[in-house]
Amino acid sequence: MSKNSLFSGFMKRFSRDIGIDLGTANTLVYVGGRDIVLREPSVIAINKETGEVAAVGEEAKRMLGRTPGHIVASRPLRDGVIADYEQTEEMLKHFIGKVSNKFLLRRSVVVGIPSGVTEVERLAVLQATRKAGATQAFVIEEPMAAAIGAGLPVEEPSGSMIVDIGGGTTEVAVISLGGIVHSRSIRVAGDELDEAIIAYVRRAYNLFIGEKTAEICKISIGSAYPLEQELEILVKGRDLVSGLPRSATITSEEVRTAIQEPLTAIVEAIKLTLEATPPELAADAMDHGIVLAGGGALLRGIDQLISKETMMPVRIADDPLSCVAFGTGRVVEAMHENEVIRKMLERSSRS
């Protein structure tokens, strides 16, 4: 065997390119040639006295609202973009290090970002990824990554419509011939649903509940469309009058009322995207239907609501939570052989 063949085999064995879905709520990491190997909350805890990282991911999420004064647990991403640059860098460093081995030689990293980010926000993601240990850093718009991950025929000359409802943003896009024809990104998504539930419980019951309780309420009984059998849940919080702990029973009908405003904003974004789409591609989207991805796609009845409002068929992706991560992973695996993908990444990642 020649030296070149040996070197090529060595490089292939010890080179691991990475795709990252850097989400407001969760971060997923796809390692090329393997699969999604990490799925953790986008939370970091910092010791204020020493400045050191106390915990990252699942361990840090358990600390939210429960830390002593010298430890601060927070989410460094808000509305799909970096809110705290240094904390995001530390979090990325931890996640990349967790899935890497000490012999890693080459590490190209592709990160999914919202389509509506500013140039400054895009550069912040690239710089944080490089400082976290990436040899090369690239970004890809989340709706494109979600469409690839959902298995849509993005390279064909027909319109495919994807709606990615994440934690911080909702991405709506019509894709054809490997590019985004029209897209809309709004900073209304899972977090706003949680905030709407908190506001409703405060208003209706004089009870203050935390973000974690609101999220549990949304997942357990939340719905976007009337259910055949309505549900209820007992929530615990702090009484706004007495200041003492108290509980209240909330129904799925109440949660549906609470989240109506953010859901209306999401539906409106879909309608506006369809209005701005060329008629031929809109007709394709009508034939193929709208595909829902992201954690918000798991809200009960959201496909029925969108179908009713747009009069189009709507389906939920097979694994909506993983679509962006799978998409970045497939791009990572193809980027060294596919010149079109390589150029697309280079265009979107110039700094």
Side-chain angles (χ1 to χ4, degrees):
M1 187 181 288
S2 68
K3 287 183 180 179
N4 286 341
S5 298
L6 282 169
F7 181 74
S8 176
F10 181 80
M11 284 295 290
K12 187 173 181 181
R13 182 180 175 187
F14 292 105
S15 297
R16 282 285 185 263
D17 294 330
I18 295 171
I20 299 178
D21 174 9
L22 186 62
T24 304
N26 297 289
T27 295
L28 283 71
V29 179
Y30 184 108
V31 174
R34 291 168 65 185
D35 204 333
I36 294 174
V37 298
L38 183 141
R39 191 188 299 260
E40 294 204 32
S42 302
V43 183
I44 185 168
I46 304 290
N47 187 320
K48 289 197 296 183
E49 294 178 354
T50 63
E52 295 178 351
V53 176
V56 178
E58 194 63 54
E59 186 183 351
K61 186 176 181 179
R62 289 196 294 268
M63 295 181 178
L64 283 172
R66 294 188 173 94
T67 58
H70 68 287
I71 293 179
V72 178
S74 61
R75 294 163 60 182
L77 291 109
R78 285 284 170 186
D79 298 330
V81 295
I82 293 175
D84 189 304
Y85 178 82
E86 290 181 358
Q87 288 187 12
T88 301
E89 183 187 324
E90 288 295 331
M91 187 177 73
L92 274 172
K93 197 178 292 181
H94 173 86
F95 289 149
I96 292 173
K98 200 169 181 179
V99 302
S100 304
N101 62 60
K102 62 183 178 181
F103 301 110
L104 204 60
L105 296 178
R106 186 190 70 217
R107 186 164 46 206
S108 296
V109 180
V110 176
V111 184
I113 59 170
S115 59
V117 298
T118 64
E119 185 67 12
V120 172
E121 291 165 342
R122 185 183 65 83
L123 290 175
V125 173
L126 287 169
Q127 289 168 10
T129 306
R130 290 182 188 123
K131 286 191 174 181
T135 307
Q136 291 181 297
F138 303 96
V139 293
I140 183 172
E141 291 179 321
E142 283 178 358
M144 176 61 82
I148 294 170
L152 296 183
V154 296
E155 293 184 7
E156 293 181 9
S158 63
S160 297
M161 189 166 192
I162 186 85
V163 178
D164 179 22
I165 308 169
T169 61
T170 293
E171 307 286 324
V172 187
V174 175
I175 298 168
S176 179
L177 288 171
I180 294 176
V181 178
H182 189 78
S183 68
R184 184 171 291 269
S185 177
I186 60 168
R187 298 188 178 186
V188 177
D191 287 349
E192 281 66 33
L193 298 181
D194 295 342
E195 289 168 12
I197 292 170
I198 291 171
Y200 177 86
V201 174
R202 186 182 189 123
R203 197 168 56 245
Y205 292 91
N206 265 347
L207 187 68
F208 179 68
I209 61 172
E211 288 181 11
K212 189 174 180 180
T213 301
E215 184 183 22
I216 291 170
C217 188
K218 175 184 69 181
I219 293 169
S220 301
I221 67 168
S223 70
Y225 204 76
L227 303 173
E228 288 184 12
Q229 184 175 350
E230 298 294 345
L231 307 168
E232 61 180 39
I233 190 173
L234 184 72
V235 296
K236 298 175 183 178
R238 188 178 73 242
D239 189 292
L240 291 171
V241 178
S242 68
L244 299 174
R246 182 165 65 83
S247 61
T249 299
I250 300 172
T251 68
S252 51
E253 293 167 292
E254 291 178 290
V255 173
R256 196 159 54 248
T257 299
I259 62 178
Q260 186 174 1
E261 189 174 332
L263 285 178
T264 300
I266 292 170
V267 170
E268 190 62 24
I270 296 170
K271 288 181 177 178
L272 289 171
T273 303
L274 285 167
E275 286 173 12
T277 301
E280 291 82 3
L281 294 178
D284 291 338
M286 172 66 80
D287 292 337
H288 301 150
I290 299 170
V291 177
L292 303 183
L298 298 175
L299 182 69
R300 295 170 186 83
I302 192 163
D303 52 339
Q304 293 170 274
L305 174 68
I306 294 172
S307 181
K308 179 187 174 184
E309 294 293 330
T310 61
M311 294 181 290
M312 292 177 64
V314 177
R315 70 176 178 89
I316 298 168
D318 292 338
D319 187 355
L321 286 168
S322 306
C323 282
V324 173
F326 278 131
T328 59
R330 283 165 188 162
V331 166
V332 152
E333 290 174 340
M335 63 187 287
H336 298 294
E337 287 77 32
N338 191 315
E339 190 65 23
V340 175
I341 288 177
R342 180 77 183 183
K343 286 181 177 178
M344 177 188 73
L345 290 174
E346 287 175 348
R347 279 197 305 272
S348 64
S349 308
R350 290 193 184 107
S351 58

